[in-house]
Amino acid sequence: MANMLPFSSNGLEPATNGLEPAINGKEAANLHDLSEPFVDNLAGQLFLNEAFKIIVEEVLCKGTDVKQKVCEWKEPEQLALLLDLELRATGESQHRLLQRVEDVAKYSIKTSHPRFFNQLFAGVDYHALAGRFLTEALNTNLYTYEVAPVFVLMELEVLRGLRQLVGWTEGDGLFCPGGSISNMYAMNLARYQLFPEVKSQGLWGLPRLTIFTSIESHYSVKKGAAFLGIGTDNIILVKVDDGGRMIPEDLDEKIKLAKSQGAVPLLVSCTAGTTVQGAFDPLDHIADVCEKHKLWMHVDAAWGGSVLFSKQHRHLMKGVERANSVAWNPHKMLTAGLQCSALLLQDTTNLLKKCHSANATYLFQQDKFYDVNLDLGDKSIQCSRKVDCVKLWLMWKAVGSSGLAKRVDRAFVHARYLVEQMKKREGFHLLHEPEFVNVCFWFIPPSIRGKEGNKDYQDRLAKVAPVIKERMIKEGTMMVGYQPLGNKVNFFRMVVFSPLLSQKDMDFFLDEIERLGKDL
Amino acid sequence: MANMLPFSSNGLEPATNGLEPAINGKEAANLHDLSEPFVDNLAGQLFLNEAFKIIVEEVLCKGTDVKQKVCEWKEPEQLALLLDLELRATGESQHRLLQRVEDVAKYSIKTSHPRFFNQLFAGVDYHALAGRFLTEALNTNLYTYEVAPVFVLMELEVLRGLRQLVGWTEGDGLFCPGGSISNMYAMNLARYQLFPEVKSQGLWGLPRLTIFTSIESHYSVKKGAAFLGIGTDNIILVKVDDGGRMIPEDLDEKIKLAKSQGAVPLLVSCTAGTTVQGAFDPLDHIADVCEKHKLWMHVDAAWGGSVLFSKQHRHLMKGVERANSVAWNPHKMLTAGLQCSALLLQDTTNLLKKCHSANATYLFQQDKFYDVNLDLGDKSIQCSRKVDCVKLWLMWKAVGSSGLAKRVDRAFVHARYLVEQMKKREGFHLLHEPEFVNVCFWFIPPSIRGKEGNKDYQDRLAKVAPVIKERMIKEGTMMVGYQPLGNKVNFFRMVVFSPLLSQKDMDFFLDEIERLGKDL
């Protein structure tokens, strides 16, 4: 079982560790001498071993160590010089290549670092990461049972597990390259279900279709409408309440209005966990509206879907079981690793395949000796489709549904702690009480505290976050995102869910914001 | 530099190697005690080390060893039982999880094996694989310079290198999740360039658009037309010559016909390296037709693009520099690993961004302290976009353009060898002389040799490939694809390009086909 390759104690010393003659040597062989392959497996595996050690040390050990920087800021021109990116005619020594692996690690952002709060992904799960390495090494494609027997069955099982959490005992689904494309699938499926002729004839013969989503939904709804030929003008934006949740009554009004203008309402894209505020649209109420008007109900739960693991918090998505489709990205809150994005469907009529199939005979031969329903590829708009299920499956096996539930519950506890601390400190002003783990706040520097009435207050406040952000990146101490929203000027969005996070990281965060912003 | 983690000599012995208490223990901690993180980095890294050793041994050592099987066939029901895929409430021991890593490897197809000829990807490049592990560990997203400084610059450089091979000193591009989606981008860009209002208004106000592609082009053109709302009926299939190459005169005729019927011809999707026969459409002639009719010329070079590295063979793509867009998958012939698919554009007017941008303020803030043109994300239809450049960059650095050229040249030598051997053996009948590395042939079993005139000859021949395929998979000795094409009944498509390939593998292939088919 154990691998018997010699582990060199110093992978970067040239010429002494067997790495030098290596792989390139073979390729210098006569092109027409076919007796030997070009790549030498043993030399290649030696290189991989050395690279693995650098990855563990630089990315995983240092990259999760709070005594180390989150990022090593360089101006683009300077970084390009340091990395020597240019691609040349001749190859390089193994020694130089290992140095390159180290450089890439050094100047990349440590997204696993406990003080990386910049995106809706963060942290690392080592079981998931092992699953990802396994996936990369096995290098196959999820289109037929023939080339991916384990992964076809595994994807079906993982999708079944996710659907069960939604509340469906049957259904369909697929892993997609990100939540945006999952959302596009939902639009295309809704369109095909209503007008199957669209697949062959296109949109020209159809009435104008409209899509409804809240004003705080993700921008992918717009991108999808543009890409699918529906057009962004045919996205009708529904109002939200103070917490950022879609208002069902406004949805109902806007559907009626669209109908009266001759459009055919197609789909409502609800959001479970909005990108900025972390708001959950009231799914049960929206389901009533969708039922009344016979619209496809899609839930973009890319960010919030993981609350379904938690007995305590799954009420946030009450009504999700009434949806037609759900997009859920375990690469976000569950730390499965990019990319891991599931599209889940309640449909049991094989809509996914009917809508997307092209019946290519070179891949999906019908005279195979096994059940060709296991050839999943024709459900997809892709041909090559990456295997995204292994990481989630192995992590789920490792900690169980209960372990994943605990991580979700813990994230809420973290958010609550952060909110309480902010209330105790002068200068931190919450946008609202969070219902999820997005903690949105302004930092009010001493110079403008108590001056809300001043004419230039909003202008000055808007400039605070970008400066603090620049300072933290240049010092490399932490990373957090900021943005404006509607009439609210730049504020920070802190997200707390990484399994590497502890109280001291949150205390550090608050201290650091104060330190970086105190003179502004 | 070197990683000092203890390497256990036997990772699977429970309780003796420090892996048992491990990660799960932490998660049993009090939910409200925030003093410690849930995940223990050291225990996690120990697990990853053990998993890495299994991956090297089972996937890379055994998986490339010709004395080992390419696949370990199991019926789906049996495989599901063996794998115990079910996801449960509680977690499992580290020992059990490592066994699972081994099981996944054992029952998966060894696509790196020198006798895996089943798809247009095969083999392994260890530098690329190191780049993939590095990418997975760094776990970031290619949307902003802020979270992916190294990868933003690297992607730009790799795209520049690929464009240079196309013949462009300027241009644009993006890595996409597979060639199908690259092809869809081309369609959307062509549509937007001609009718920018489509982005906001959709297709309703536009005339009917048509897309032209050869009858042997990839099925993704159809999938794209359906997804983009254009409709598969608006794909006009152009005739091919005996070798499978688009006939420019027929293209010209069909464009004129479409115009006469009131449609607006939008785009010609040429193929450089068709999926089955490996044919190269005559790009220069097609470019003349596109120029004459002012159509967007797209080249789907997902499979064949890599010939551009070869001085000897790049003539196959003469005229590619006149295209508007090229899709090229280095995960195929260059063995970069799935997924690695580049969309290349000649455009210098920022069309990619104009066509796809949504200007989300939470991600693409305009008041950042660095040049926001380095935030590439708004060029994409995705939000999360996987980093696909590192593997290609590191491999390119390792062997240089000249090394990659040699691999391409070598693949042609392999194909030539195979063709010559087939001509020497009774029973092998080529469809045609290959112009690329796809060697398409029928195996004629002894029982029907010389009986071409018999009424049931074609029916009997059609049944040969599926039986041989079933036998090889069940024995696990090798894998190769078969399909019918037009009026040609089932034939094998052998592809020879893996850098692990040598003459003995091709000799084995021929012997094995004879052995498996001699009684049919």
Side-chain angles (χ1 to χ4, degrees):
Chain A
M1 156 68 47
N3 161 32
M4 289 300 141
L5 285 172
F7 279 82
S8 152
S9 64
N10 185 340
L12 290 188
E13 287 307 311
T16 57
N17 58 6
L19 282 179
E20 262 332 277
I23 307 171
N24 301 356
K26 289 272 172 181
E27 306 210 7
N30 180 351
L31 202 61
H32 295 273
D33 173 7
L34 304 184
S35 62
E36 291 294 331
F38 262 15
V39 163
D40 179 324
N41 282 304
L42 187 61
Q45 288 160 22
L46 269 169
F47 179 84
L48 191 65
N49 266 297
E50 296 301 318
F52 177 74
K53 284 190 278 182
I54 295 170
I55 291 167
V56 170
E57 178 63 23
E58 298 296 319
V59 182
L60 300 173
C61 292
K62 289 190 194 165
T64 57
D65 181 353
V66 293
K67 294 189 292 295
Q68 303 279 339
K69 287 182 175 184
V70 176
C71 56
E72 186 67 51
W73 172 259
K74 298 289 170 197
E75 295 295 332
E77 302 71 24
Q78 190 190 3
L79 182 58
L81 278 177
L82 281 168
L83 292 170
D84 175 36
L85 292 165
E86 193 190 339
L87 298 161
R88 306 195 178 87
T90 53
E92 297 183 347
S93 72
Q94 306 305 297
H95 169 67
R96 182 80 188 90
L97 294 166
L98 290 171
Q99 185 62 54
R100 292 193 176 282
V101 171
E102 195 176 340
D103 286 348
V104 167
K106 180 174 179 184
Y107 296 111
S108 288
I109 306 303
K110 307 306 181 297
T111 66
S112 302
H113 197 287
R115 291 166 189 177
F116 176 82
F117 308 106
N118 209 65
Q119 314 294 149
L120 300 183
F121 61 92
V124 60
D125 178 279
Y126 291 95
H127 296 110
L129 188 55
R132 292 154 74 193
F133 284 10
L134 181 60
T135 303
E136 293 299 317
L138 283 165
N139 194 45
T140 198
N141 230 323
L142 244 175
Y143 40 48
T144 62
Y145 183 78
E146 186 176 322
V147 293
V150 173
F151 304 135
V152 161
L153 300 180
M154 191 183 282
E155 175 166 298
L156 291 172
E157 183 62 25
V158 174
L159 291 170
R160 202 192 61 75
L162 294 174
R163 277 199 309 269
Q164 201 168 41
L165 289 164
V166 168
W168 299 333
T169 52
E170 290 181 297
D172 204 347
L174 198 69
F175 277 90
C176 296
S180 298
I181 291 183
S182 294
N183 289 342
M184 290 183 202
Y185 266 93
M187 291 180 194
N188 198 40
L189 289 164
R191 179 167 77 174
Y192 178 80
Q193 176 160 284
L194 204 56
F195 301 104
E197 66 271 30
V198 70
K199 184 176 175 181
S200 57
Q201 296 170 20
L203 283 167
W204 287 282
L206 305 191
R208 189 167 61 86
L209 304 174
T210 52
I211 288 169
F212 300 81
T213 195
S214 95
I215 197 159
E216 296 200 9
S217 71
H218 190 255
Y219 69 87
S220 55
V221 181
K222 273 192 196 169
K223 291 209 175 194
F227 201 66
L228 270 68
I230 292 171
T232 53
D233 288 353
N234 293 311
I235 303 273
I236 315 278
L237 294 176
V238 182
K239 288 184 197 160
V240 295
D241 66 18
D242 284 348
R245 292 170 290 254
M246 187 191 286
I247 300 174
E249 293 73 19
D250 189 55
L251 170 65
D252 190 44
E253 285 304 313
K254 286 191 165 137
I255 292 171
K256 286 182 200 155
L257 182 65
K259 283 183 179 174
S260 75
Q261 292 167 343
V264 171
L266 178 66
L267 165 142
V268 179
S269 185
C270 322
T271 316
T274 57
T275 312
V276 178
Q277 299 209 74
F280 286 78
D281 288 345
L283 302 182
D284 231 3
H285 291 164
I286 294 171
D288 292 339
V289 179
C290 289
E291 260 179 28
K292 175 177 151 190
H293 294 285
K294 296 191 172 55
L295 264 66
W296 183 288
M297 177 178 169
H298 173 64
V299 180
D300 176 355
W303 171 224
S306 301
V307 302
L308 292 172
F309 274 99
S310 161
K311 284 196 182 72
Q312 198 185 339
H313 300 290
R314 59 171 293 133
H315 69 86
L316 288 166
M317 288 181 66
K318 187 169 177 296
V320 66
E321 71 285 355
R322 298 171 67 189
N324 297 86
S325 55
V326 175
W328 176 357
N329 291 7
H331 72 228
K332 293 192 161 78
M333 193 167 196
L334 295 183
T335 324
L338 290 157
Q339 58 191 39
C340 190
S341 174
L343 172 73
L344 306 172
L345 299 171
Q346 191 174 175
D347 173 75
T348 54
T349 68
N350 217 10
L351 192 67
L352 195 54
K353 188 162 179 181
K354 287 181 204 157
C355 178
H356 297 115
S357 64
N359 304 308
T361 49
Y362 82 93
L363 201 54
F364 306 114
Q365 306 93 323
Q366 297 302 300
D367 54 5
K368 286 180 177 175
F369 66 92
Y370 61 83
D371 177 4
V372 292
N373 287 315
L374 289 169
D375 289 354
L376 306 177
D378 226 10
K379 292 183 179 184
S380 169
I381 58 167
Q382 300 178 274
C383 176
S384 290
R385 186 163 64 93
K386 212 168 154 50
V387 175
D388 290 329
C389 57
V390 187
K391 46 199 164 196
L392 178 54
W393 180 80
L394 198 62
M395 177 173 72
W396 199 330
K397 280 286 193 188
V399 300
S401 308
S402 62
L404 295 175
K406 266 185 206 149
R407 289 195 194 175
V408 173
D409 290 340
R410 170 80 156 212
F412 278 87
V413 176
H414 277 151
R416 182 46 40 199
Y417 175 81
L418 202 62
V419 164
E420 282 162 14
Q421 295 305 308
M422 284 186 183
K423 287 178 179 171
K424 288 180 191 164
R425 294 186 189 223
E426 212 183 351
F428 289 86
H429 187 82
L430 289 163
L431 261 76
H432 63 93
E433 283 291 322
E435 60 175 339
F436 194 30
V437 298
N438 305 39
V439 181
C440 294
F441 69 94
W442 286 282
F443 177 71
I444 322 286
S447 69
I448 59 168
R449 279 181 204 161
K451 297 181 181 164
E452 291 80 359
N454 287 13
K455 216 175 69 179
D456 65 347
Y457 180 82
Q458 293 294 329
D459 286 346
R460 290 183 66 184
L461 183 58
K463 293 192 176 93
V464 171
V467 175
I468 293 180
K469 177 73 179 263
E470 177 173 359
R471 290 175 176 180
M472 77 175 73
I473 285 190
K474 288 189 170 167
E475 295 195 27
T477 51
M478 60 185 198
M479 286 180 72
V480 64
Y482 73 84
Q483 62 284 301
L485 183 68
N487 60 1
K488 298 179 178 84
V489 300
N490 280 328
F491 57 89
F492 287 110
R493 178 199 64 180
M494 174 72 170
V495 277
V496 281
F497 63 95
S498 162
L500 301 188
L501 206 61
S502 66
Q503 185 178 315
K504 60 182 179 298
D505 303 307
M506 291 181 287
D507 292 339
F508 176 86
F509 175 82
L510 297 167
D511 293 344
E512 187 69 357
I513 290 279
E514 285 177 349
R515 185 182 74 83
L516 294 168
K518 65 175 183 246
D519 64 332
L520 294 179
Chain B
M1 157 71 45
N3 162 32
M4 288 301 141
L5 284 172
F7 278 82
S8 152
S9 63
N10 185 340
L12 290 189
E13 287 306 311
T16 57
N17 57 6
L19 281 179
E20 262 331 278
I23 307 171
N24 300 355
K26 288 274 172 179
E27 306 209 7
N30 181 351
L31 202 62
H32 295 271
D33 172 8
L34 303 184
S35 62
E36 290 293 330
F38 261 15
V39 163
D40 178 325
N41 281 304
L42 187 61
Q45 288 159 22
L46 270 168
F47 179 83
L48 190 66
N49 265 297
E50 296 302 318
F52 177 75
K53 285 189 280 182
I54 295 170
I55 291 168
V56 170
E57 178 64 21
E58 299 295 321
V59 182
L60 301 172
C61 293
K62 290 190 192 166
T64 57
D65 180 353
V66 293
K67 295 189 291 295
Q68 302 279 338
K69 288 182 175 183
V70 176
C71 55
E72 185 66 51
W73 173 260
K74 298 289 170 195
E75 295 295 333
E77 302 71 24
Q78 190 190 2
L79 183 57
L81 279 176
L82 282 167
L83 293 170
D84 176 35
L85 292 165
E86 192 190 338
L87 299 160
R88 306 195 178 86
T90 53
E92 297 183 346
S93 73
Q94 306 303 298
H95 169 67
R96 183 80 188 89
L97 294 166
L98 289 171
Q99 186 62 53
R100 292 193 176 282
V101 170
E102 194 174 341
D103 285 348
V104 168
K106 180 173 179 184
Y107 296 111
S108 288
I109 306 304
K110 306 305 181 298
T111 66
S112 302
H113 197 287
R115 291 166 189 176
F116 177 83
F117 309 105
N118 209 66
Q119 315 293 152
L120 300 184
F121 61 92
V124 61
D125 177 278
Y126 291 95
H127 295 111
L129 189 55
R132 292 154 74 192
F133 284 9
L134 181 60
T135 303
E136 294 298 319
L138 283 166
N139 194 46
T140 197
N141 230 324
L142 243 175
Y143 39 49
T144 63
Y145 183 78
E146 182 177 322
V147 294
V150 173
F151 304 135
V152 161
L153 299 179
M154 190 182 282
E155 176 166 297
L156 292 172
E157 183 61 26
V158 173
L159 290 170
R160 202 192 60 76
L162 294 173
R163 277 199 309 267
Q164 200 168 42
L165 290 163
V166 168
W168 298 332
T169 51
E170 290 181 296
D172 203 348
L174 197 69
F175 278 90
C176 297
S180 298
I181 290 183
S182 294
N183 290 342
M184 290 183 201
Y185 267 94
M187 292 180 194
N188 198 40
L189 288 164
R191 180 167 76 175
Y192 177 79
Q193 176 160 283
L194 204 57
F195 301 104
E197 65 271 31
V198 70
K199 185 176 175 183
S200 57
Q201 295 169 20
L203 283 168
W204 288 281
L206 305 191
R208 189 167 61 84
L209 304 174
T210 53
I211 288 169
F212 300 80
T213 194
S214 95
I215 197 158
E216 296 200 10
S217 70
H218 190 256
Y219 70 85
S220 55
V221 181
K222 272 192 198 170
K223 290 208 176 196
F227 201 64
L228 270 68
I230 291 171
T232 53
D233 287 354
N234 294 311
I235 303 274
I236 315 278
L237 294 176
V238 181
K239 287 183 198 160
V240 295
D241 66 16
D242 284 348
R245 292 170 290 255
M246 187 191 286
I247 300 173
E249 294 74 17
D250 189 54
L251 171 65
D252 189 44
E253 285 304 313
K254 286 195 164 135
I255 292 172
K256 285 181 201 157
L257 183 65
K259 282 183 179 173
S260 75
Q261 292 168 342
V264 171
L266 177 67
L267 165 142
V268 179
S269 185
C270 320
T271 316
T274 57
T275 312
V276 177
Q277 298 208 75
F280 286 79
D281 288 346
L283 301 182
D284 233 2
H285 290 164
I286 295 171
D288 293 339
V289 180
C290 289
E291 260 178 27
K292 175 174 151 192
H293 294 285
K294 297 191 171 53
L295 265 64
W296 182 288
M297 177 175 168
H298 173 64
V299 180
D300 177 355
W303 171 225
S306 301
V307 303
L308 292 173
F309 274 98
S310 162
K311 285 196 182 70
Q312 197 183 339
H313 299 291
R314 58 170 294 132
H315 68 86
L316 288 167
M317 287 180 66
K318 187 169 176 292
V320 67
E321 70 284 356
R322 298 172 66 189
N324 297 84
S325 54
V326 175
W328 177 356
N329 291 7
H331 71 229
K332 293 192 161 77
M333 193 169 195
L334 295 183
T335 324
L338 291 157
Q339 56 190 39
C340 189
S341 175
L343 172 74
L344 306 172
L345 298 171
Q346 192 174 175
D347 174 76
T348 55
T349 68
N350 216 10
L351 192 67
L352 196 52
K353 189 161 179 182
K354 287 181 203 158
C355 178
H356 297 115
S357 64
N359 304 309
T361 48
Y362 82 92
L363 202 54
F364 306 115
Q365 305 92 324
Q366 297 301 300
D367 52 7
K368 286 181 178 176
F369 66 94
Y370 61 84
D371 177 4
V372 292
N373 287 316
L374 289 169
D375 289 353
L376 306 176
D378 225 12
K379 292 184 178 183
S380 169
I381 58 166
Q382 299 179 274
C383 176
S384 289
R385 185 162 66 92
K386 214 170 152 51
V387 175
D388 290 330
C389 57
V390 187
K391 47 200 164 196
L392 177 54
W393 180 81
L394 197 63
M395 177 172 73
W396 199 330
K397 280 285 192 189
V399 300
S401 308
S402 63
L404 295 175
K406 266 184 205 150
R407 289 194 194 176
V408 173
D409 290 341
R410 170 81 156 213
F412 278 87
V413 176
H414 277 151
R416 181 46 41 199
Y417 175 82
L418 201 62
V419 164
E420 281 160 15
Q421 295 304 308
M422 282 186 183
K423 287 177 178 170
K424 287 178 189 165
R425 296 187 187 220
E426 210 183 352
F428 289 85
H429 187 79
L430 288 163
L431 260 76
H432 62 92
E433 283 291 323
E435 61 175 337
F436 194 30
V437 299
N438 305 40
V439 181
C440 293
F441 69 95
W442 286 282
F443 177 73
I444 322 284
S447 69
I448 58 168
R449 279 180 206 162
K451 297 180 180 165
E452 291 79 0
N454 287 11
K455 215 176 69 179
D456 65 348
Y457 181 82
Q458 292 294 330
D459 285 347
R460 288 183 66 184
L461 183 58
K463 293 192 176 92
V464 170
V467 175
I468 293 179
K469 177 74 180 263
E470 176 173 359
R471 289 174 177 179
M472 76 175 73
I473 285 190
K474 288 188 170 168
E475 294 194 27
T477 51
M478 60 185 198
M479 285 179 73
V480 63
Y482 73 84
Q483 62 285 300
L485 183 68
N487 60 1
K488 298 178 178 84
V489 300
N490 280 328
F491 57 89
F492 287 109
R493 178 200 64 180
M494 173 72 171
V495 278
V496 281
F497 63 95
S498 163
L500 301 188
L501 207 61
S502 67
Q503 186 177 315
K504 61 182 180 297
D505 302 307
M506 290 181 288
D507 292 339
F508 175 86
F509 175 82
L510 297 166
D511 292 344
E512 187 69 0
I513 291 280
E514 286 177 347
R515 184 181 74 83
L516 295 169
K518 66 177 184 240
D519 63 333
L520 295 178

